[in-house]
Amino acid sequence: ILVLTGGTNRTHTGLMLLAAGQAEHLMISGVEPGVTLENLIALYDFAGPIATILRNHCCITLGQQATSTVENAIEAAPWIIENNLTTIRLVTSVYHIPRAMLMLREHAFDTPVTWVLHPVRPDGTSLTSLRHWLVMGREYLKLTVALLIPPQLVK
């Protein structure tokens, strides 16, 4: 499971998927420096069996270098290679998937990876909310720029 931070419900969803046994490895890319797994367990108010599973899990990586989607891709590459991963469940916001996949494919991988997309709906989004349309418009502009700029210039 690869979680790209930056929107609501992403990290929580990734942790729940791992606790439910949906993968053996989890990377959360773009975690604020200094944040620990214990901080996340407390933040999401995990208790009982879920908290125990997460605390005792061998393969949770908190990537704390990335501050953008491009950096998420660059940060995830060594993790994917080191763990010999060939199938990855990508957890990110539904509107973020096209650009995230573009960056992941262009910046991070020389070997084929099968992507299982796990879109997350951010809190407070509906087709009638102004916030939804502002976020969608901003993401559309970012995707357009990403498609126009050669990947080697974006690093």
Side-chain angles (χ1 to χ4, degrees), residues 37-147:
L37 180 58
E38 281 300 320
N39 297 142
L40 295 175
I41 289 171
L43 175 68
Y44 295 112
D45 202 23
F46 289 126
I50 292 175
T52 301
I53 290 168
L54 294 174
R55 283 188 183 103
N56 294 328
H57 202 283
C58 70
C59 306
I60 299 174
T61 302
L62 302 180
Q64 299 183 321
Q65 303 301 312
T67 60
S68 69
T69 305
V70 172
E71 291 175 0
N72 288 141
I74 294 167
E75 182 172 66
W79 173 76
I80 291 168
I81 293 165
E82 288 167 13
N83 290 293
N84 299 312
L85 302 177
T86 57
T87 301
I88 300 168
R89 181 179 300 271
L90 176 65
V91 178
T92 190
S93 296
V94 64
Y95 62 82
H96 188 235
I97 285 177
R99 188 165 57 91
M101 288 306 307
L102 178 68
M103 295 297 111
L104 288 163
R105 287 184 176 132
E106 289 183 351
H107 291 279
F109 309 106
D110 294 327
T111 59
V113 172
T114 301
W115 293 97
V116 177
L117 304 179
H118 195 103
V120 175
R121 178 174 292 274
D123 288 337
T125 59
S126 74
L127 294 178
T128 59
S129 76
L130 176 61
R131 180 179 177 274
H132 169 77
W133 291 107
L134 291 172
V135 168
M136 292 297 289
R138 187 179 77 218
E139 187 60 29
Y140 176 77
L141 289 173
K142 289 179 177 182
L143 177 60
T144 302
V145 169
L147 289 168

